[in-house]
Amino acid sequence: MSNKVAILGAGSWGTAFSIVLADGGNDVTIWGRREEVCASINDQHENIDYLPGIQLPPTVSATHDPEEALAGADVVVLAVPSQSLRDNLVEWAPYVGKDAVMVSLMKGVELGTLKRMSEVVAEVTGAGPERIAVISGPNLAKEIARREPAASVVACEDEEVARMLQNRVHSAAFRPYTSVDVLGCELGGAYKNVVALSVGMAVGLGFGDNTTASVITRGLAETARLAMKLGANPLTLMGLAGLGDLVATCSSPLSRNRTFGEKLGQGLTTEEIVASTRQVAEGAKSCRSLLALAERSGVDAPVAHHVDAVVAGTMTAKDMVDAFIARDTKAETD
């Protein structure tokens, strides 16, 4: 059996995950949008733009040619910004092996269609659920790249495929667990970015741990309400792909979404923050699609509602925190 893996996306997380896969015994080819990034990976074994100072294993290479990256790969890892997946996948799909398993590292919900990433993959490629998986959990890219101990969830509706992927990504520093709850893992991963934005805003405003803990807890309850309404297993939200990912993303200064939120809390506009960084804060886009998904499902979603308003510039971060506290308590339970 082939042990070649293609990673489509040469950003921080895609590059960090190449180290996990190489440590697990795979030969890894990264597709990169920019040729200079591919050159730095091939010539210096380092992604200078996204993970400077991190040495990549010799079994990791890169190419700007998607056909070359995908040739012979039995596992295809998708690691591009969630809102660009569909357009990219239309181009890549003809080169994906007919039996290859596609693994989403992305944490978002598509604007307009409100589809999760696994649903976009299924729609574009025609692949069945046994060929689509997601990996989610507390996965801050720099810590994973430094081989700090971490755990995560590999989810696929086909348990055997989940176990196969578990074996392929298990290494001395990375402990994967398996799940069949793709829906719960994806919603937990997407929603935690929105919650991290609100936590970041509270930090940017100068508030302390009581405030941030309150926001994290309310955010988890909101995530669970939506996930359970859509059919997820509530235990998923208590595990690595729910609470674990939420805590890491909301607590760490390495988190793009928390950092983005801090800057909003300090008074910068979304446009000013986007102009100052090349990193993508997925929650700044997904807050709108998650809010729409919650509204369509009849689920109360004050965190998504207020974060979307601040990102859009129709509400200040201070107003958002005040609005949380002023909410009617009659219908609220812990």
Side-chain angles (χ1 to χ4, degrees):
M1 188 181 76
S2 164
N3 253 26
K4 181 187 171 183
V5 178
I7 297 181
L8 303 176
S12 303
W13 186 206
T15 305
F17 204 69
S18 76
I19 297 172
V20 173
L21 284 159
D23 288 350
N26 301 279
D27 292 319
V28 184
T29 303
I30 300 173
W31 170 86
R33 182 175 51 84
R34 291 165 38 231
E35 292 188 31
E36 60 269 28
V37 171
C38 297
S40 81
I41 292 171
N42 291 328
D43 300 340
Q44 298 166 58
H45 295 289
E46 182 182 352
N47 188 333
I48 294 168
D49 280 18
Y50 290 99
L51 285 177
I54 302 287
Q55 193 73 10
L56 299 176
T59 50
V60 174
S61 62
T63 178
H64 181 60
D65 180 355
E67 186 173 7
E68 180 185 344
L70 288 160
D74 68 322
V75 173
V76 176
V77 175
L78 302 163
V80 294
S82 56
Q83 303 306 329
S84 67
L85 173 64
R86 183 181 294 273
D87 288 346
N88 280 315
L89 201 50
V90 168
E91 178 188 345
W92 297 332
Y95 309 125
V96 175
K98 64 181 176 61
D99 296 320
V101 176
M102 288 167 282
V103 182
S104 168
L105 299 186
M106 299 160 293
K107 296 177 177 179
V109 171
E110 190 175 45
L111 289 163
T113 67
L114 309 186
K115 289 184 183 293
R116 292 173 284 112
M117 296 298 99
S118 64
E119 293 175 312
V120 175
V121 173
E123 188 175 301
V124 173
T125 66
E130 75 286 350
R131 288 183 54 213
I132 301 171
V134 304
I135 292 179
S136 194
N139 300 140
L140 295 161
K142 286 182 182 174
E143 293 184 5
I144 298 289
R146 292 195 294 253
R147 296 183 173 89
E148 296 183 15
S152 201
V153 178
V154 179
C156 179
E157 289 186 29
D158 187 319
E159 205 165 349
E160 283 187 26
V161 173
R163 283 199 294 270
M164 178 274 290
L165 291 170
Q166 178 186 40
N167 291 331
R168 296 284 287 271
V169 303
H170 192 188
S171 69
F174 192 81
R175 172 63 166 102
Y177 293 80
T178 62
S179 171
V180 294
D181 187 12
V182 173
L183 166 65
C185 287
E186 286 191 294
L187 281 177
Y191 224 109
K192 58 93 188 183
N193 288 329
V194 179
V195 181
L197 282 169
S198 62
V199 169
M201 289 181 218
V203 172
L205 286 162
F207 296 123
D209 293 339
N210 284 341
T211 307
T212 56
S214 299
V215 175
I216 289 170
T217 308
R218 298 314 309 150
L220 179 60
E222 185 168 314
T223 307
R225 279 199 303 271
L226 177 59
M228 290 167 64
K229 183 68 178 282
L230 294 174
N233 182 344
L235 291 177
T236 301
L237 282 306
M238 297 299 114
L240 289 162
L243 181 60
D245 199 5
L246 182 67
V247 168
T249 306
C250 291
S251 304
S252 174
L254 294 174
S255 161
R256 303 171 197 173
N257 290 279
R258 175 182 148 137
T259 302
F260 197 104
E262 282 187 52
K263 292 176 179 177
L264 287 169
Q266 291 160 1
L268 275 69
T269 66
T270 297
E271 292 71 28
E272 288 168 341
I273 302 167
V274 169
S276 69
T277 178
R278 63 152 52 100
Q279 301 276 34
V280 176
E282 291 277 20
K285 295 279 184 69
S286 284
C287 57
R288 176 142 299 176
S289 46
L290 283 165
L291 174 60
L293 189 60
E295 288 175 341
R296 189 177 76 183
S297 307
V299 171
D300 188 33
V303 175
H305 174 76
H306 290 111
V307 168
D308 181 55
V310 178
V311 169
T314 60
M315 175 183 264
T316 68
K318 179 67 167 66
D319 288 342
M320 181 199 78
V321 175
D322 290 344
F324 280 157
I325 302 303
R327 273 174 57 80
D328 183 1
T329 59
K330 287 178 186 171
E332 297 255 335
T333 59
D334 188 41

